Amino acid sequence: QVQLVESGGGLVQAGGSLRLSCAASGRPVSAYNMAWFRQAPGKSREFVATIRRSGGSRDYANSVKGRFTISRNGANNSVYLQMNTPKPEDTAVYYCAAGESSYFATRNLGYTTWGQGTQVTVSS
């Protein structure tokens, strides 16, 4: 079983940049589809980005496409979310997740292991 710990959240100005990290232990991140989700106050948790275990292909939510980049590093067993030109509407708690369902790789139910979340606040 893999365990996940996020870090890197904080306060950032709109138009700036921020990098979130997800450190995994127990199993290699390459064994899973790894994803980032987010949940804003009063809203349900939504998909942000995923990198698949097979081939490393990436998918992004339309709202972040072209601004955010997901990547993974096998040497330190971590996954990252580079957030460029963030907007106030990107403010949320960001969660790292690991799963094995390629069919549901962009949905909550495709993931079985979640981190505790890290708060990102984007000021205008």
Side-chain angles (χ1 to χ4, degrees):
Q1 185 76 359
V2 66
Q3 293 82 42
L4 305 173
V5 178
E6 302 97 333
S7 61
L11 177 65
V12 61
Q13 284 194 328
S17 64
L18 194 67
R19 189 177 82 155
L20 305 182
S21 299
C22 173
S25 60
R27 291 196 68 194
V29 293
S30 59
Y32 298 92
N33 299 323
M34 298 297 299
W36 289 94
F37 288 76
R38 66 186 182 187
Q39 187 167 19
K43 296 187 177 181
S44 57
R45 188 156 52 188
E46 66 174 4
F47 168 77
V48 175
T50 187
I51 182 166
R52 288 178 172 77
R53 58 178 174 173
S54 178
S57 62
R58 299 169 173 85
D59 278 326
Y60 296 93
N62 286 334
S63 58
V64 307
K65 200 172 293 184
R67 299 187 298 120
F68 292 8
T69 302
I70 187 171
S71 63
R72 67 186 178 201
N73 185 320
N76 56 19
N77 209 29
S78 294
V79 176
Y80 304 98
L81 185 69
Q82 179 67 41
M83 304 172 62
N84 293 333
T85 58
K87 305 174 182 179
E89 50 264 43
D90 294 320
T91 294
V93 176
Y94 282 72
Y95 296 91
C96 178
E100 299 181 56
S101 171
S102 294
Y103 188 78
F104 295 114
T106 62
R107 298 179 63 182
N108 286 276
L109 58 85
Y111 295 87
T112 53
T113 303
W114 297 80
Q116 84 287 351
T118 186
Q119 175 70 47
V120 173
T121 303
V122 184
S123 63
S124 57

